[in-house]
Amino acid sequence: MAYTETTTTGYGTRVGRSFKSIGSGFVMFCLATALLWWNEGRAVKTEKMLDEAAGAYVEMENPNKKDASLDGELICGTAMATTEDSLVDAQFGIGANAIAISRKVEYYQWVEHSQSKSEDKLGGKEVTTTTYTYSKEWVSSPVQSSEFKDPAYQNKNMVLTTIEDASQYSENVSFGAYKLNESLIHSISSREGMDLAISEDLLKQFDKNTQVAYERFYGVKQKQPEPEQTVVLSDSAKAVADSLKAVNDSINAAMAKAENKKDFEYIHQASNVLYFGRVPGSPEVGDVRVTFEKVVPAKVTVMAVVDGDTFKPYKAKNGKRFQTLVMGKKSGDEIIDAEKEANNMWLWALRILGIMLVIAGLKGIFGFIETILKVVPFIAGIFGWGVGIVCTVIGVVWSLIIIALAWLFYRPLLGIALLALAGFLVWVFAFKGKDKLKELAAKRNQPQPAQ
């Protein structure tokens, strides 16, 4: 059963909060304005840097042989990224000759989901009903169930062991006759499962410790895992649970097919997964699974400036720096085109975010008007609707003006066009919008015909 909690906020408290929100709304408005300005400058500088790099780079024909004439040049070359370094995960006593090794830890826990619904009452009070639902999920860190709202689920969580996520990278990674710098090494993504060769003695020690933790929480060990409890989930919680179940099923299937399986009562090793718990296919609260991966040698393409026997970022005339590593063989033009597409995507994503924050800031500044009128919810709804439209229009216009001014500063021709568009929107709103708002408000006030 879902657990519900109802809270009532008085009119005076709501009005007080609305006035306090003026300050936070103003701060958000200013930060959003700064974000819009900065984003336009960032995009223009990045594009200019990429155009400059496109005309400056040279192809490194043979990375396997050092070429003194390329020193200081922006190059684009393809070679195998390899290493002779051996990396060791000391906690589990395993290692590999790899560019990097990592372990990812997940815990099976009860997770709390909440969904709130607010209703205005005559007199200005607000009644908020929050519904809490609970589901078992794999999560990246233990969940403190002592803070759950439903007493029936409090202190339901435990973990059989606590392990930190960890990653290690080789310091010496070769690119033909050259060496990759740290940033380029971290860009290599040729990940695959790591072969586990954990010693029997260590697995037995893990098994013993896990058994102690299990029986401390569950008491006498159960022959069958406890059945899943039926819970009511919201649509969003169901979507999350379904996606996590799909991931869990794929991991369990991989473990079932693994060749290097080692099974103890509370520890199970299969492929690149080490499982703490009784039955990997039927997880219980407290179970832990650790997935080990390594980054293996792979063919990569580097675009960076040759610096002796290694590389450094390219520095454009405007101060922007650039270096990149992509998987596989790519031409310099392909890399530049991909970087320009990414720059354009970030430009529009941050524009949309900035505009939304500007509108949210304005609503925070003027939201007190609607709150004051909450004594009569129907009237407050009409004014709130109007304030929302006004804030949206002003927010969009203001954002276009800021973007246009930024472009006037960085690129005048497009800035003038954007200012003209903003001016047109102001004219439409000032001279045409008033009559439309009055018409819409009149329709909202008309009594609805009986059904």
Side-chain angles (χ1 to χ4, degrees):
M1 294 293 292
Y3 180 80
T4 59
E5 183 180 64
T6 302
T7 58
T8 301
T9 305
Y11 177 70
T13 301
R14 298 182 70 187
V15 172
R17 289 177 180 174
S18 69
F19 279 107
K20 290 180 180 179
S21 69
I22 294 176
S24 58
F26 181 74
V27 171
M28 183 182 294
F29 175 81
C30 292
L31 291 176
T33 300
L35 172 64
L36 288 170
W37 180 275
W38 170 84
N39 181 46
E40 300 304 318
R42 178 206 60 79
V44 172
K45 289 180 180 179
T46 300
E47 185 174 353
K48 288 183 177 179
M49 177 270 292
L50 291 172
D51 287 338
E52 185 179 323
Y57 83 88
V58 295
E59 293 287 348
M60 178 180 274
E61 300 294 342
N62 184 15
N64 294 314
K65 182 180 180 181
K66 290 183 181 178
D67 186 345
S69 67
L70 293 177
D71 197 43
E73 295 284 346
L74 174 63
I75 61 89
C76 177
T78 301
M80 288 292 295
T82 61
T83 184
E84 298 297 326
D85 291 355
S86 293
L87 303 176
V88 177
D89 187 327
Q91 185 171 351
F92 292 89
I94 56 175
N97 169 226
I99 294 172
I101 61 173
S102 65
R103 65 172 183 254
K104 177 185 176 183
V105 186
E106 297 170 282
Y107 303 86
Y108 198 62
Q109 301 279 271
W110 279 109
V111 178
E112 181 178 71
H113 305 276
S114 63
Q115 192 169 25
S116 297
K117 182 179 180 181
S118 297
E119 183 179 2
D120 294 322
K121 298 294 184 181
L122 196 64
K125 291 183 179 180
E126 180 186 50
V127 177
T128 302
T129 301
T130 305
T131 302
Y132 296 93
T133 56
Y134 301 83
S135 62
K136 295 177 183 178
E137 302 172 12
W138 286 102
V139 294
S140 60
S141 59
V143 177
Q144 297 298 323
S145 57
S146 60
E147 300 177 2
F148 286 171
K149 292 294 184 178
D150 189 346
Y153 288 90
Q154 291 177 358
N155 301 314
K156 285 285 190 179
N157 278 339
M158 58 83 70
V159 292
L160 295 177
T161 187
T162 302
I163 303 170
E164 298 292 333
D165 287 348
S167 295
Q168 295 183 50
Y169 287 86
S170 297
E171 295 182 359
N172 303 295
V173 178
S174 299
F175 178 80
Y178 297 84
K179 293 182 179 180
L180 298 179
N181 61 36
E182 182 179 358
S183 177
L184 295 175
I185 292 172
H186 286 216
S187 298
I188 303 173
S189 58
S190 51
R191 293 184 176 272
E192 63 179 40
M194 184 175 172
D195 295 329
L196 302 186
I198 304 174
S199 70
E200 292 281 337
D201 290 341
L202 185 56
L203 289 174
K204 289 178 181 178
Q205 185 62 47
F206 284 154
D207 187 68
K208 181 179 178 181
N209 295 339
T210 304
Q211 179 179 1
V212 171
Y214 184 95
E215 294 183 351
R216 183 185 299 122
F217 184 79
Y218 285 105
V220 179
K221 66 181 182 180
Q222 305 163 8
K223 293 184 178 180
Q224 295 295 332
E226 65 178 36
E228 294 284 338
Q229 300 186 33
T230 303
V231 294
V232 180
L233 296 178
S234 62
D235 292 340
S236 59
K238 285 181 179 178
V240 172
D242 290 343
S243 62
L244 290 172
K245 184 178 184 301
V247 173
N248 181 44
D249 290 344
S250 64
I251 292 178
N252 289 334
M255 291 186 69
K257 295 179 180 179
E259 295 181 359
N260 63 330
K261 292 182 65 176
K262 291 183 180 179
D263 284 314
F264 295 83
E265 191 168 3
Y266 293 89
I267 294 293
H268 309 272
Q269 174 190 310
S271 184
N272 65 321
V273 177
L274 184 63
Y275 194 95
F276 294 75
R278 296 193 62 233
V279 184
S282 299
E284 300 175 82
V285 170
D287 285 7
V288 180
R289 67 185 179 196
V290 188
T291 305
F292 297 85
E293 290 184 326
K294 61 182 177 180
V295 176
V296 298
K299 181 180 288 188
V300 300
T301 300
V302 169
M303 181 173 276
V305 173
V306 178
D307 184 24
D309 66 346
T310 185
F311 301 95
K312 66 180 181 181
Y314 173 75
K315 185 177 181 180
K317 294 177 182 178
N318 61 14
K320 293 286 287 185
R321 296 177 181 271
F322 170 67
Q323 68 173 353
T324 188
L325 179 150
V326 297
M327 304 304 298
K329 181 176 177 60
K330 299 287 183 181
S331 69
D333 290 345
E334 288 176 324
I335 292 176
I336 294 295
D337 288 343
E339 291 291 331
K340 286 186 175 182
E341 288 182 13
N343 182 46
N344 193 51
M345 288 178 60
W346 275 110
L347 171 64
W348 280 102
L350 292 176
R351 273 178 180 170
I352 294 171
L353 176 62
I355 293 172
M356 291 175 64
L357 290 176
V358 165
I359 295 172
L362 289 172
K363 289 182 177 179
I365 294 172
F366 297 103
F368 72 94
I369 298 175
E370 180 183 0
T371 304
I372 290 174
L373 297 173
K374 288 290 186 180
V375 176
V376 183
F378 175 72
I379 296 178
I382 295 176
F383 274 84
W385 173 75
V387 168
I389 292 179
V390 172
C391 289
T392 299
V393 174
I394 294 177
V396 171
V397 170
W398 175 262
S399 299
L400 289 175
I401 291 173
I402 295 300
I403 292 172
L405 290 174
W407 278 93
L408 277 175
F409 184 79
Y410 295 107
R411 287 186 175 177
L413 290 179
L414 186 55
I416 293 172
L418 288 173
L419 279 177
L421 175 59
F424 174 74
L425 290 175
V426 171
W427 177 81
V428 169
F429 178 69
F431 295 98
K432 301 293 184 181
K434 289 182 179 179
D435 294 336
K436 188 64 176 177
L437 287 173
K438 290 180 180 178
E439 179 183 341
L440 291 172
K443 289 182 178 180
R444 287 173 63 91
N445 288 327
Q446 290 179 355
Q448 298 295 324
Q451 298 295 330

